[in-house]
Amino acid sequence: MKSVKVIKVGGKVIGDDQKLDRFLKSFAAIKEPKVLIHGGGSIASDIGKRLDIKPQMIDGRRVTDAETLEVITMVYGGLVSKSIVAKLQALGVNAAGLSGADLNIIPAKKRDPEPVDFGWVGDVEDVNTNWLTQFLNADVTPVLAPLTHDGAGNMLNTNADTIASSVASALSDDFDTELMFCFEQPGVMNDKKLITEMNLLLYRHLRDSGIVTDGMIPKLDLGFEALKNGAKVSIRSFKDVAEPESGTTLVSN
């Protein structure tokens, strides 16, 4: 079975030119077919502030009202996406910047306003892999912005980790798929020590003990979901994206 790598890189790397350049050089060195999913929340917040649109957050999650939706659509689907594509072209990677609305790749449903109304936020309903597969077979690298659509003409802000997990799960039906979550840390840490391998029982223990907290919890939840659906999964530093064994590898119990 043909292999494919689905790689998500966090917004803090995207917002730092030096880190982004280092990541993209390593990403370009990967010979296998690959998909890149990017964040960009910090850039969207900065652009919004310039437009006098202040970010609204609830429990660390962005509230996407109509004005904010315009900002993130411009930033994620335009500025960030096309800047990454241009840099990849310079590195010899033939890339295409896409949102979930393009080619109906990721239809989603607007999140229920109860108990918390996050506005124009979407939960993934499906991933249509036909076009992604055609791109990959044509040696084109899809670059997916964290945007989906509701089928009724509306864009939706959707968590990039969720998109990465959903895409990896869907592609696992036809490819030997590896999902990598790349950010600033070496992987999942226990104090200052890297956890090189984690199963679901260890994860639950570390979560319940308060060792694994905050944004790492949804990342691991989504990682184990993709693992269950047939993908290989690791959480690693953006510096080590091209390394065969790096970071924290998720394994079955």
Side-chain angles (χ1 to χ4, degrees):
M1 186 181 287
K2 196 171 184 179
S3 66
V4 64
K5 295 187 184 297
V6 177
I7 299 169
K8 187 266 176 174
V9 62
K12 290 183 180 179
V13 176
I14 296 294
D16 185 308
D17 287 341
Q18 288 186 334
K19 291 179 180 178
L20 178 60
D21 287 345
R22 178 167 179 172
F23 166 78
L24 290 177
K25 286 177 182 177
S26 295
F27 178 83
I30 297 171
K31 300 303 180 185
E32 296 97 328
K34 49 193 177 287
V35 180
L36 178 59
I37 295 98
H38 63 81
S42 59
I43 299 174
S45 295
D46 289 343
I47 297 293
K49 288 175 184 176
R50 292 188 214 171
L51 299 172
D52 201 27
I53 301 171
K54 296 180 181 179
Q56 305 172 59
M57 311 295 286
I58 298 176
D59 295 331
R61 296 181 179 181
R62 186 184 302 272
V63 176
T64 306
D65 60 16
E67 280 189 325
T68 302
L69 182 64
E70 291 180 349
V71 172
I72 66 164
T73 301
M74 289 187 291
V75 173
Y76 297 165
L79 177 63
V80 175
S81 175
K82 301 313 175 187
S83 296
I84 289 173
V85 167
K87 289 176 181 291
L88 287 174
Q89 298 293 359
L91 293 167
V93 177
N94 196 16
L98 302 165
S99 73
D102 293 299
L103 304 167
N104 193 35
I105 292 173
I106 310 177
K109 181 179 180 180
K110 186 174 183 287
R111 185 170 299 168
D112 193 313
E114 298 294 337
V116 180
D117 187 359
F118 283 100
W120 294 99
V121 168
D123 295 316
V124 174
E125 288 197 309
D126 193 18
V127 177
N128 296 317
T129 59
N130 177 54
W131 283 105
L132 291 178
T133 298
Q134 290 191 53
F135 280 125
L136 293 168
N137 288 337
D139 199 26
V140 173
T141 296
V143 176
L144 293 174
L147 296 164
T148 57
H149 76 118
D150 66 359
N154 300 301
M155 297 297 294
L156 297 170
N157 181 16
T158 299
N159 179 270
D161 288 341
T162 301
I163 289 177
S165 177
S166 300
V167 168
S169 295
L171 287 174
S172 292
D173 290 339
D174 300 305
F175 293 88
D176 179 9
T177 304
E178 181 175 2
L179 170 62
M180 300 179 193
F181 291 109
C182 297
F183 68 141
E184 296 97 322
Q185 299 298 317
V188 183
M189 308 298 290
N190 184 353
D191 193 15
K192 295 182 179 181
K193 184 178 180 181
L194 173 67
I195 301 169
T196 57
E197 190 173 277
M198 179 180 288
N199 62 24
L200 196 54
L201 292 175
L202 176 58
Y203 162 51
R204 288 171 177 165
H205 168 71
L206 295 174
R207 180 194 62 194
D208 295 344
S209 301
I211 295 170
V212 170
T213 60
D214 302 327
M216 186 56 70
I217 291 175
K219 203 178 295 291
L220 284 166
D221 286 339
L222 291 163
F224 279 109
E225 182 69 19
L227 182 70
K228 183 180 73 175
N229 291 326
K232 301 171 186 174
V233 183
S234 63
I235 298 174
R236 58 177 67 195
S237 168
F238 71 93
K239 302 173 185 176
D240 299 328
V241 65
E243 299 298 323
E245 298 292 336
S246 179
T248 302
T249 300
L250 304 191
V251 296
S252 301
N253 289 334

